[in-house]
Amino acid sequence: MDKIVIEGNKPLSGSVEVSGAKNAVLPIMTAALIPVGKSKIYRVPELKDTRTMIRLLEIIGAKVSLNENTIEIDSTTVNNPEAPYDLVKTMRASFYVLGPLMARFGRVKVSLPGGCAWGPRPVDFHLKGLEKLGAKLTLKDGYILAEADQLKGNEIRFEFPSVGATGNLAMAAVTAKGTTILHNAAREPEIVQLCEFLNKMGARISGIGTTTIIIDGVNDLHAADIEVISDRIEAGTFLIAGALLGKITVNRVELKHLDAVLGKLKEAGCKIIVGNASVTVTPPDKLKPVDITTAVYPGFPTDLQAQWVALMSLAAGSSMITDTVYHDRFSHIPELSRLGANIRVDKNTAFVRGVDSLAGAPVMSTDIRASASLIIAGLAASGKTQVSRVYHIDRGYEHIEEKFRVLGAQISRETE
Ligand code: EPU
């Protein structure tokens, strides 16, 4: 198993380019299963999760070819609407085949994802929504079997604007008979791009980017091409690192997706200069403590909560970081404490007392964003930090250590 080794407390400077967004490309890849034909996806990040998704699409019967950052998915041969436990358990986003395969075949067998490192993460909204569209669901051997002769449009109101449930049901409804209305839908940029892709393939979706998404069913879709949007979480991760470690420019970003994080960085005292599709962050002399509460888009993303905790660990004062999206997403805290951070968690809030410095230590990552948080803290800590279980970071960050190295970090990968 690989680990990342950091010799910390070295200033960062220079520029870095963000990759295509993981959470946009994964549902887009599954949407390519709906029509019969060849879809091309450009700017696909080279990640463990995109490779897992390619394997899943191949098991389902698609032909997938990958050329640098472009994927061609030929869905003509798709014949096995099934997502096996082995893959779903390693990547929950595998559940995104549910909607597309229902749209195409009217039947699908998908393993239930089970729990995750930071809590239960149920999929009940996906399932209830599919039932509302007329699917008959059965649970057998840990698999959900869904069937319908013809899905029928309906009104679905989510209890919470779930990203995955919005995506899955939008995909399921594109070929349903009649109109589907998704109330309290997710507005995340990744869902916006998914719906735009579906429309490019011939779907009739309106209200995209609002909390009410309306889908008028069509008979079938046709293949289409798309370039994946920039990863706003990767951008935010580098900006937070810059806020601690030096003036850096993050290029090829979608500025409007970064409002929440840029606002908070300014509050922390950072100088932010915005270019055409770039942001330059300069750290302040003294980092101010800033509270955050995560929320659905356009709020502060839960996927940057762990990185923000790392930043606040070195702020001049105390801050409170509350996660309203995932109440238990705090597995990074005990590891940050090993580096000398002073943090207490109560319910879904981390109370952070800024310390003057962190000191390197061996730490273990537990999920993608926790790893990013530990890397940021390790870069700021004096001495050596080793982050083990690096496969988590490889799931969601393309060539992260190379990108940090270009910025002047002393970071390398070692095989244990
Ligand atoms: N929820 C339910 N029932 C459901 C679905 C969701 O109770 O059926 C709850 C969840 O437990 C959670 C909240 O609703 O408390 C939001 O979950 P959501 O469904 O929005 O999350 P997701 O679709 O499973 C995606 C991202 C996550 C990101 C969240 C929130 C992908 C592949 N994953 O997950 O990304 O944290 O939205 O923005 O898009 C990551 O990239 O590290 C990551 C975890």
Side-chain angles (χ1 to χ4, degrees), residues 177-403:
K177 202 171 165 54
T179 300
T180 299
I181 306 180
L182 304 179
H183 297 281
N184 200 20
R187 300 163 57 197
E188 270 65 6
E190 295 76 21
I191 291 298
V192 168
Q193 188 172 42
L194 171 65
C195 291
E196 285 169 356
F197 182 50
L198 292 168
N199 276 353
K200 256 192 135 182
M201 294 197 291
R204 289 182 54 207
I205 307 180
S206 56
I208 298 173
T210 77
T211 53
T212 308
I213 296 180
I214 301 158
I215 304 139
D216 289 313
V218 295
N219 285 340
D220 44 37
L221 302 190
H222 52 80
D225 300 344
I226 191 152
E227 182 179 291
V228 178
I229 53 169
S230 292
D231 196 314
R232 64 194 168 101
I233 305 303
E234 187 196 8
T237 301
F238 280 109
L239 289 169
I240 291 172
L244 271 183
L245 289 152
K247 178 176 174 183
I248 65 168
T249 299
V250 183
N251 287 324
R252 214 170 164 190
V253 297
E254 198 67 64
L255 286 168
K256 62 177 184 293
H257 297 165
L258 295 172
D259 275 355
V261 63
L262 293 181
K264 288 293 177 184
L265 286 169
K266 282 183 202 160
E267 269 185 56
C270 297
K271 188 167 150 206
I272 300 287
I273 299 172
V274 164
N276 218 352
S278 72
V279 184
T280 301
V281 59
T282 311
D285 290 337
K286 233 180 184 182
L287 194 67
K288 292 184 204 152
V290 176
D291 298 345
I292 59 156
T293 299
T294 68
V296 296
Y297 189 81
F300 192 96
T302 172
D303 290 341
L304 287 175
Q305 178 259 104
Q307 299 87 319
W308 194 263
V309 173
L311 177 68
M312 287 299 109
S313 296
L314 286 162
S318 300
S319 56
M320 288 194 308
I321 288 118
T322 303
D323 201 321
T324 67
V325 180
Y326 293 113
H327 292 197
D328 304 311
R329 195 179 197 178
F330 291 111
S331 57
H332 43 289
I333 306 286
E335 300 299 312
L336 288 172
S337 302
R338 289 178 52 74
L339 301 176
N342 183 345
I343 312 169
R344 178 175 64 83
V345 178
D346 187 19
K347 300 205 178 80
N348 62 335
T349 299
F351 296 85
V352 187
R353 256 176 215 269
V355 293
D356 291 337
S357 60
L358 298 176
V363 288
M364 207 161 61
S365 66
T366 43
D367 80 88
I368 305 172
R369 310 304 170 189
S371 322
S373 156
L374 293 173
I375 288 178
I376 291 172
L379 289 171
S382 59
K384 189 172 169 179
T385 296
Q386 295 180 26
V387 185
S388 57
R389 300 201 178 163
V390 153
Y391 55 87
H392 288 294
I393 198 107
D394 292 336
R395 289 189 52 195
Y397 287 89
E398 188 175 46
H399 312 312
I400 189 160
E401 75 271 27
E402 282 165 38
K403 290 189 182 185

